[in-house]
Amino acid sequence: MAGGRGAEAVDTVLACGEVRTCLLQHSQALPGTAAAGLLRLRAGRRVLLSERPNPYALSPEVLTGVDCNLPTASGAKVRAVGTVTARAALTEGRLLQADAFCAATADGPDRRRPWGHYLARPGIVEPFGKLPDRDVADGCLAGAGKPGELDLGAVAERVLRHVLRDPALDRAAPFRAQVTRLRWVALRAPDGAASSIENFTVAQDGLRTVELRLTGGIVTAAAARLCEDLALHDWLLTTLVRMVERSRLGSVEGRDAVAALRPAVDHLLHLWMPTARVDQVLHPLWEVLEREPGFSRQWQILVQRIRDQLALLAVSAHVQP
């Protein structure tokens, strides 16, 4: 099944999406009211705010109508019609995410239906005929390669740029960090198999890909939330690794390294909260990432290195005559 109002009765065999994650281009973390103003993507729809376990704002969903070919690994043309869901989120008033996602049915009619039919099924696309789900899943992970193909990354990027152009932002971020992209697909797990993460890849250009296998039908909203959480923590880990590298920790005088790492201490170290907003049913999938590649283990090692350096600097300052 797919998440979203009016979509609960629609049986889907594939979900896919793309998440953009970046540092908000603003000198200060935005409080709740300012975050709500920034993420008000639809007039008359409220932004959801949460204070526990950390400040979080989620925009209303925006639908984009699509009538295009789906990406396929084989190059086969698979036309589909429907709507794509997009939204933006802000964590701790500092980390901005924009994502776009949809789910596809196993088959569809041979001709296009009135738009009212598709609007009644938000976030669902229907193929013309039978959907080659494996071929489309591989194509989605590779990304749109031809003009006229569904490009969820472009939809997410449009939402991200819309938010970042807000005149309320002073564009004075406290440190440098790259934008990361997480491209994901979810397929049904074989009968009797548990939900799993089949592949998680990291490329040098900021692109990550992940494939999920889900039991009990595909709940698109839950899969999207899991991938948003994965994208957020991958960005945190990637950013901290780069900051430690740039600080030349262990190679330069302690004060210089600590000064370079000060933004990490001020803005990042307290943000590590895996699965805080993930459906409990999908928590075991994060445990897979803890075993390989070991997200939290690597994070904790980096944090301990930074804290050790701070402790050494404090001791050195204390014993100086």
Side-chain angles (χ1 to χ4, degrees):
M1 294 193 296
R5 291 183 303 276
E8 289 77 3
V10 181
D11 189 32
T12 58
V13 295
L14 166 70
C16 53
E18 190 156 335
V19 188
R20 297 283 197 273
T21 306
C22 70
L23 181 68
L24 187 68
Q25 297 303 296
H26 195 63
S27 57
Q28 303 292 326
L30 293 185
T33 53
L38 184 71
L39 299 187
R40 192 166 286 116
L41 302 184
R42 291 180 62 185
R45 294 293 179 88
R46 69 188 184 93
V47 174
L48 300 179
L49 299 175
S50 172
E51 291 294 332
R52 302 287 186 272
N54 56 6
Y56 178 80
L58 181 66
S59 78
E61 295 179 346
V62 177
L63 296 180
T64 300
V66 295
D67 182 347
C68 58
N69 290 327
L70 300 177
T72 58
S74 67
K77 292 185 177 180
V78 180
R79 183 183 171 189
V81 184
T83 58
V84 169
T85 300
R87 61 191 181 192
L90 192 64
T91 301
E92 287 274 356
R94 180 68 76 190
L95 302 187
L96 176 64
Q97 292 185 286
D99 67 331
F101 53 90
C102 63
T105 56
D107 50 41
D110 293 330
R111 64 182 61 186
R112 180 170 158 170
R113 294 173 175 172
W115 266 116
H117 168 81
Y118 302 108
L119 291 175
R121 298 177 166 197
I124 302 293
V125 297
E126 295 181 355
F128 282 31
K130 183 175 177 57
L131 180 79
D133 53 351
R134 180 69 264 175
D135 195 16
V136 172
D138 291 339
C140 288
L141 289 176
K146 299 177 182 177
E149 288 186 342
L150 178 66
D151 190 344
L152 297 176
V155 178
E157 183 70 20
R158 187 162 60 245
V159 172
L160 186 74
R161 294 301 154 195
H162 173 79
V163 175
L164 290 176
R165 285 196 299 267
D166 193 297
L169 302 179
D170 61 21
R171 290 162 183 79
F175 58 91
R176 292 184 293 116
Q178 73 173 144
V179 179
T180 58
R181 300 171 290 146
L182 175 70
R183 191 178 292 154
W184 62 271
V185 299
L187 293 161
R188 288 178 172 174
D191 291 343
S195 295
S196 63
I197 292 180
E198 295 296 302
N199 293 291
F200 176 69
T201 66
V202 177
Q204 294 299 317
D205 61 355
L207 174 66
R208 289 85 169 96
T209 62
V210 63
E211 178 181 328
L212 311 177
R213 291 298 184 98
L214 304 178
T215 59
I218 297 173
V219 182
T220 310
R225 184 60 64 87
L226 171 67
C227 291
E228 291 163 9
D229 193 62
L230 171 57
L232 178 71
H233 288 84
D234 172 77
W235 184 92
L236 285 170
L237 184 56
T238 299
T239 301
L240 190 61
V241 167
R242 299 293 175 264
M243 294 176 79
V244 170
E245 289 174 349
R246 289 197 298 265
S247 76
R248 300 180 64 198
L249 186 62
S251 301
V252 298
E253 199 275 328
R255 291 182 182 276
D256 294 335
V258 168
L261 290 169
R262 180 63 183 269
V265 176
D266 291 343
H267 305 292
L268 297 183
L269 299 192
H270 62 290
L271 297 183
W272 193 261
M273 297 185 186
T275 70
R277 292 182 172 85
V278 173
D279 190 313
Q280 192 168 7
V281 173
L282 297 181
H283 281 195
L285 294 187
W286 182 266
E287 295 171 8
V288 174
L289 294 171
E290 296 292 31
R291 293 193 297 270
E292 181 66 38
F295 268 45
S296 291
R297 184 167 62 251
Q298 186 178 4
W299 175 267
Q300 290 160 4
I301 290 171
L302 290 169
V303 170
Q304 191 60 52
R305 285 191 68 194
I306 294 171
R307 288 177 174 163
D308 287 347
Q309 192 68 39
L310 291 171
L312 286 172
L313 188 62
V315 171
S316 176
H318 180 71
V319 299
Q320 283 181 358

